[in-house]
Amino acid sequence: MKQKLIFLDIDGTLLPPGEMIVPESAVDAIHRARANGHKVFLCTGRNLRMTQPLFHYGFDGFVCSAGGYVGCDGKILVDIPMEPEQVSGLRAALERAGAECTLEVRDETYGGIKMIERFANLFPKTPGKVNSEAERWRKMMEFGMTICPIEKYHGEPVYKIVFIAPNEECLTEVKRQYESQFVFCESRLGDEGGGIVNGELINRKFDKGTGIKAICGFLGCLLADTIGFGDSDNDLQMTDVVGISVCMANGSDHLKQCCDRICPAVSEDGVAKEFAELGLI
């Protein structure tokens, strides 16, 4: 088979949201695919620090921070943080709206105590009621992941802002000011969460798709020879550009409708089984 570039979302795709141990079946599939001449990349909303523990499983590069920080074969191809004025403006606008937020820099995540409390206590604990990004944060809070106090943030470049808002209506003014600059990738917190909204603010200068394009350009490969695996709507920019798009069975209904293929769930060795179905291993 001609060489393929394979891009794997992490939470809800490569492994259950918030976990750090890749299923043995997926590890074996990644190693076998690379042995067959294919290249495998992580393609995630996580920042570099939250992604790095997975590097030892064997990857050819990464698309981190939803496309804001991209590396391949040991070289950084994309490094596009927000402008400082955008960070300060968004923080103020979200605060006025009654929303809490975290700031994701390359090597740290900063958040206020109210944000941590909301992630720890307000997310429903019933599986399947939230998207994988929300479930990742809930689980990391549950198991004591350290978020640096927002007071210790001193201007490091920010790649992404994650927020929780009491309802969609309170974000109207924030969107009026910033929707031309950022994609508001939102989801509701399920039946138990009422009107609470969680979301990511992703710079319109990049997304997972532009990260994939940067890697293809660097390697001299065609987008037609790429395969992308995802599970939630924040993977749309990835699945829209790849040659073959795959949604996990545990993924969102919207993404399933947009993808070429649906594979078994992350809990059912979906990545490994789909690698086999596609002839990668």
Side-chain angles (χ1 to χ4, degrees):
M1 175 188 284
K2 184 178 180 181
Q3 183 190 61
K4 300 295 183 182
L5 307 186
I6 306 158
F7 293 86
L8 299 171
D9 173 55
I10 296 178
D11 295 286
T13 300
L14 180 61
L15 44 74
E19 297 189 9
M20 296 302 293
I21 300 176
V22 178
E24 192 58 40
S25 64
V27 175
D28 179 65
I30 290 165
H31 291 168
R32 290 171 62 190
R34 295 183 76 213
N36 286 339
H38 307 297
K39 288 183 176 288
V40 187
F41 303 85
L42 293 168
C43 192
T44 179
R46 293 186 182 195
N47 63 8
L48 184 66
R49 183 190 179 193
M50 289 190 285
T51 305
Q52 275 182 322
L54 302 178
F55 288 174
H56 75 274
Y57 287 106
F59 293 95
D60 297 283
F62 55 84
V63 176
C64 286
S65 297
Y69 197 75
V70 180
C72 179
D73 290 344
K75 297 184 178 181
I76 301 303
L77 308 182
V78 176
D79 187 357
I80 310 177
M82 296 181 186
E83 298 295 332
E85 296 79 11
Q86 291 176 319
V87 177
S88 59
L90 277 164
R91 287 181 65 187
L94 288 167
E95 183 177 353
R96 288 193 297 271
E100 306 294 336
C101 71
T102 63
L103 309 179
E104 293 190 11
V105 305
R106 192 189 69 176
D107 298 315
E108 191 59 85
T109 299
Y110 294 93
I113 187 63
K114 289 184 179 179
M115 182 68 165
I116 295 171
E117 288 173 350
R118 282 188 174 179
F119 272 126
N121 300 321
L122 295 180
F123 282 7
K125 297 182 184 295
T126 304
K129 293 294 185 180
V130 298
N131 66 59
S132 57
E133 174 74 6
E135 178 64 15
R136 169 171 72 89
W137 279 101
R138 185 192 68 76
K139 193 172 291 186
M140 286 192 291
M141 292 299 98
E142 187 175 294
F143 290 103
M145 187 202 80
T146 301
I147 287 185
C148 197
I150 195 72
E151 293 79 13
K152 292 188 177 181
Y153 173 71
H154 294 300
E156 301 99 308
V158 173
Y159 292 84
K160 191 176 71 172
I161 290 177
V162 176
F163 65 86
I164 295 182
N167 53 64
E168 187 174 8
E169 290 71 27
C170 73
L171 295 170
T172 300
E173 179 59 22
V174 186
K175 290 181 179 179
R176 187 193 68 77
Q177 291 180 259
Y178 288 100
E179 205 162 27
S180 64
Q181 300 173 56
F182 296 90
V183 175
F184 284 68
C185 187
E186 303 171 11
S187 61
R188 309 300 169 268
L189 295 190
D191 297 337
E192 298 176 41
I196 297 173
V197 177
N198 93 283
E200 305 169 77
L201 289 171
I202 301 174
N203 200 323
R204 289 190 182 274
K205 293 179 181 178
F206 60 76
D207 54 44
K208 288 185 177 183
T210 62
I212 290 172
K213 290 176 181 178
I215 289 175
C216 284
F218 176 73
L219 295 174
C221 296
L222 300 175
L223 284 171
D225 293 321
T226 61
I227 303 170
F229 287 71
D231 74 295
S232 63
D233 288 358
N234 60 13
D235 295 312
L236 283 167
Q237 290 87 0
M238 169 177 63
T239 54
D240 279 350
V241 304
V242 294
I244 299 175
S245 55
V246 183
C247 183
M248 311 301 291
N250 53 279
S252 74
D253 290 337
H254 184 209
L255 189 67
K256 288 176 183 176
Q257 294 170 4
C258 296
C259 284
D260 301 314
R261 300 171 63 91
I262 299 174
C263 74
V266 62
S267 59
E268 299 174 350
D269 300 319
V271 167
K273 290 177 179 176
E274 189 65 10
F275 272 35
E277 285 290 323
L278 291 169
L280 300 168
I281 57 177

